Amino acid sequence: MFILKIVLGIALVLLILLFILICLLLFCKIGLHIQKNKHFQIDIKIWFIKIKVYPIKKSEQTGNYEYKYEHTPVNDKKFSKPSDLDWYFDFILSIITDLKDKLYIDRLYLHVTFASDDAAKTGIMLGSAFSLSGMIIPILNQSFYIKEQHVVFDADFNSKQTLFFIDFILHTRLIKILLIAFKYRNQLFKIYKDIK
């Protein structure tokens, strides 16, 4: 009889923990903040807990956000081919489609200045970015509520290094992010290796 009470007690505790976990997954909000200026930073905010996913120095900015950026060089090997840009934009478009009406974008700031050792290649990269963003940005505006948005593409024919700034904040339910992350785990791992 004593052993039965212990087993029932353990089962009750496990059921309560399972119920709490299910409530967290279904109702807990999760926020994602991706920022690239001098350093690349990825933070996840689950409820009131902030977790640094990609470690960098802490930002010194406080108070209201003001749009300003400092360009930093990007490895040309990552963005030298239009097909590379196409792959990234196709991946983003797939995620956007899956997250339709499930996601709130608080901030979307992107400024890319394309450059390479060949002016023709720079022009092709700029043209590809404009054409792909022309398809993606209207879909973003139709699919999600976007509070702040500023997207700029430019070209520097006198430089050899592509430069970019991004500041992106979104929030949704935790369970939705976990399902999307599991579905696109291979692509996300490839992007993580490229960033690293």
Side-chain angles (χ1 to χ4, degrees):
M1 191 70 179
F2 179 71
I3 295 173
L4 182 61
K5 286 182 180 178
I6 292 174
V7 170
L8 289 174
I10 292 171
L12 181 63
V13 169
L14 290 174
L15 283 173
I16 291 169
L17 290 174
L18 182 62
F19 177 75
I20 291 170
L21 180 62
I22 290 170
C23 287
L24 285 173
L25 290 174
L26 293 176
F27 302 110
C28 183
K29 286 185 180 179
I30 180 170
L32 177 68
H33 185 190
I34 300 172
Q35 187 174 33
K36 167 71 172 73
N37 197 350
K38 289 184 178 179
H39 306 282
F40 202 91
Q41 175 179 348
I42 301 175
D43 294 322
I44 291 178
K45 189 174 183 181
I46 303 172
W47 201 8
F48 58 87
I49 302 167
K50 192 173 183 180
I51 302 167
K52 205 177 270 190
V53 176
Y54 196 81
I56 60 150
K57 294 178 183 177
K58 288 186 178 179
S59 175
E60 296 175 1
Q61 292 181 346
T62 56
N64 292 332
Y65 183 84
E66 183 180 340
Y67 173 66
K68 56 183 179 181
Y69 66 92
E70 297 175 19
H71 276 318
T72 51
V74 177
N75 188 350
D76 279 344
K77 292 179 182 176
K78 294 178 189 175
F79 296 103
S80 59
K81 298 178 183 176
S83 60
D84 293 340
L85 286 171
D86 292 344
W87 184 90
Y88 280 101
F89 281 110
D90 285 344
F91 173 62
I92 291 168
L93 192 58
S94 299
I95 290 181
I96 289 169
T97 304
D98 286 345
L99 284 173
K100 186 174 181 180
D101 299 325
K102 302 173 186 173
L103 185 66
Y104 297 92
I105 298 173
D106 301 313
R107 183 183 302 153
L108 173 58
Y109 289 163
L110 176 66
H111 191 134
V112 183
T113 303
F114 294 98
S116 67
D117 53 356
D118 182 10
K121 189 191 296 183
T122 303
I124 291 170
M125 292 190 321
L126 180 63
S128 297
F130 273 122
S131 63
L132 290 170
S133 68
M135 292 183 288
I136 290 174
I137 290 175
I139 293 171
L140 277 174
N141 288 322
Q142 289 176 355
S143 303
F144 313 117
Y145 171 73
I146 303 176
K147 190 175 180 181
E148 299 176 43
Q149 177 182 326
H150 186 79
V151 179
V152 177
F153 295 112
D154 200 0
D156 185 356
F157 295 100
N158 297 319
S159 177
K160 295 183 179 181
Q161 292 180 319
T162 295
L163 309 169
F164 80 100
F165 161 84
I166 185 169
D167 194 4
F168 179 66
I169 301 175
L170 63 84
H171 72 272
T172 187
R173 302 288 178 191
L174 180 59
I175 188 68
K176 295 171 184 173
I177 290 293
L178 293 176
L179 292 172
I180 292 294
F182 181 75
K183 181 176 179 180
Y184 294 102
R185 59 192 180 278
N186 294 330
Q187 294 92 326
L188 290 169
F189 185 66
K190 179 188 181 302
I191 291 172
Y192 178 78
K193 286 196 298 185
D194 288 346
I195 292 170
K196 196 173 180 182

